[in-house]
Every structure is written in C-alpha cells, then in structure tokens.
Amino acid sequence: MEAKKYSSYAEIERDLEILKLEKEINYQKLVLSFQRTKESITPQNIVNGIFSSYKDYFSNSYVSILQSVLPYIIGWFINKKRGS
C-alpha cells in the first residue's frame, strides 16, 4: 500500500476524523453483537434449542420408526390372541 500524500493539515484532520468515526462505529457493532449473544445464551433459549433439534430429528424419522416398530406390535397382538 502506497503512503498517501497530504497537501494540508485540513486533509490530515479530515482523514483522522473519518478513522475516528469508523472506529466508533466498529466498537458499537461489537457491543451490539456482544449484547445479542448474551441475550441469546439464556437457560430458556438453550433448552428450547435442544428440544427443537430433537423435535426436528424425531419428526423427520417418525415414519421410519413407525415402520420398524409396527410389525412387532402386530406380531405381539397376533400372538396374544393365539395364546388366549
């Protein structure tokens, strides 16, 4: 990166003011990001996240679980009627 050449102190002051404002904006973004992260890490949100992931897992595999368990249930009912 080539060094910028200034022709007056006003240009230097202007660039310094721009850098100062950019620094403040980035700092406020960091503070906001930290606050949002802190708010999202609550016991209720953690528990809700765990249950929603299990809910998604079981809702997607409900049909395959039912298909694997249903023959055993039917066989149990058939054997129960024969035994009685």
Side-chain angles (χ1 to χ4, degrees), residues 14-49:
R14 186 190 57 165
D15 279 356
L16 287 174
E17 185 66 25
I18 290 171
L19 290 172
K20 180 181 172 187
L21 291 172
E22 288 176 348
K23 177 183 171 186
E24 182 64 26
I25 289 169
N26 288 330
Y27 175 76
Q28 291 300 326
K29 284 181 180 179
L30 180 66
V31 168
L32 181 62
S33 175
F34 178 76
Q35 288 174 346
R36 286 181 179 167
T37 302
K38 190 170 82 171
E39 290 171 0
S40 69
I41 301 177
T42 61
Q44 181 180 4
N45 287 341
I46 292 171
V47 170
N48 287 341

Side-chain angles (χ1 to χ4, degrees), residues 65-76:
I65 292 172
L66 189 59
Q67 287 175 345
S68 62
V69 172
L70 195 58
Y72 293 109
I73 294 172
I74 292 172
W76 181 76

